Amino acid sequence: MSNLRSFIINRIGWDLYLKPFMYKKLPSGLGWPATMGSLCALLFILQALTGMFLAMYYVPSPDLAYESINYIMNEVSMGRILRGIHHWGGGAMVVLVFIHMMHGFFAGTFKAPRELTWVAGVVLTVVSANIPKDIPVIGDFTTRLMLGGDRVSGLTLTRFFSMHMLLLPGLMLGFIGFHIYLVRIHGVADPLASDAVGKKHVKPFPQHIYRFYPEHLFKSTMASVIVLGVIFLLAIYGQIPFEGKAGTLDPDYLPRPEWYYMWLFQILTFFPGSVEVIGSLVIPIGGVAILFGMPWLSQSKWRGVADRPIATAMGALCLIGIIYLTLMGFGGARSYGRIIPVPDRSLNASELKGLQLFVELDCAYCHNINGRGGRIIGPDLANVVVRDRSQAWLIKFIKDPQAESRWTTMPKYNLDEESLKALADFVLALDFKEHRMKIISRTDVKAGNTK
Ligand code: HEC
């Protein structure tokens, strides 16, 4: 028995590597925030495992993707729960990675010698938030890059799928390894040392011994149980919000961002029309650049919140802004598109079809009509007629907005010629100088009740 024990101990390098790792002394002031990093790693593993099983059933082809998700949900045993864990686990990962990064920001742990640890962490935040797919404009760019065009084909979906399950996780794995390696060499930043080089300037209580095992591992395990518990409960009892056929990249998908980008999308409402590029490009890229540059932008040698009033105030302002914009985005998203202002006259067949499409394609997600009914990411559609747009111009614009306005977030609507003409006719009918405004409801339009 003791032979077997010493065999294993020698072969796995217990004394040399694992034991010092297990019993390593950590700064005695480490608290719950220090468990965030391992939680993020745990969720990455959870995503990898559930993703592996889902990949056995998911078929990345336009005809079968939707069916295969249905099959996973209804036929595969535990399939619904598996997909639930992957879905909620993904959301939880974004939240925890964000909290982990925010903690680093406020605690100033990015300062020397941990600059590269921070940079690798920012890369991980960007990649885990799945930016190549979802960010307006940038996402659209990478989408187009990967598609080599705009048409959704079988190839597209296969490429997205391999991006999602091979390239991105592979990239993340590399950066996670690098990040953790750096944490190992430079150690965890000591919360009680308030300057960057680790000189203690406060010593509020006598140091007690705090090791990885058992003290820190206990805290991490507790935190993991809570997070995993919440994810499992959501997977069992929660409803995955209906995604339409978005997962299949159906060209008719509704233009909704992931919930964690809602705030970014909401920023667009402040920069309508020709200054849209500020919201869609300048702010996101600028924000990420500032995050990357933090170790070099922040000149003070102090680490603590109280010693860095400017960085702390700016960080807090951004955080409050993000939360506020997220709430605003959801508040607004709930009520848009219920009513549609139309001219008070009978519409011809093409205009009626356009109205129908306006509702089905959810144009109100970004457009108001005469100040009502929609959100204000795009221009008010009642102004189109004032601008003297021609039917031909509108058809071309709706089919491919980026050809006209390179940075716009408006999606391409690759519809048949008749539908495009109908949308153009409907937009041109919104002439409230000529006719009085009449309000009709979305339900009426859906029921074909537009008299
Ligand atoms: C994701 C948001 C979004 C959605 C959804 C959207 N649009 Fe737009 N749309 C915009 C933005 C932003 C612009 C401004 C583009 C610019 O000028 O740079 C715009 C511009 C337009 C214009 C040009 C207005 C003008 O005179 O310059 C028309 C017409 C238009 N949209 C129609 C539609 C229709 C019809 C739909 C639904 C099929 C739709 N949009 C869906 C964001 C959106």
Side-chain angles (χ1 to χ4, degrees), residues 178-225:
F178 185 53
H179 186 71
I180 295 179
Y181 163 74
L182 291 176
V183 173
R184 288 297 300 165
I185 8 185
H186 298 298
V188 189
D190 184 349
L192 295 182
S194 50
D195 78 356
V197 280
K199 210 173 97 236
K200 293 194 167 52
H201 105 153
V202 271
K203 244 191 206 169
F205 47 85
Q207 307 266 305
H208 54 271
I209 292 189
Y210 190 86
R211 285 156 304 188
F212 179 74
Y213 175 82
E215 286 87 1
H216 191 66
L217 200 59
F218 174 74
K219 255 185 208 158
S220 302
T221 310
M222 290 290 290
S224 308
V225 168

Side-chain angles (χ1 to χ4, degrees), residues 255 276 363 366-367 378-379 384 387 389 394 397 405 408 410 413:
E276 192 191 359
C363 307
C366 294
H367 289 288
V384 170
R387 289 186 190 153
R389 306 291 194 195
L394 287 167
F397 186 90
S405 175
T408 186
M410 175 157 154
Y413 290 94

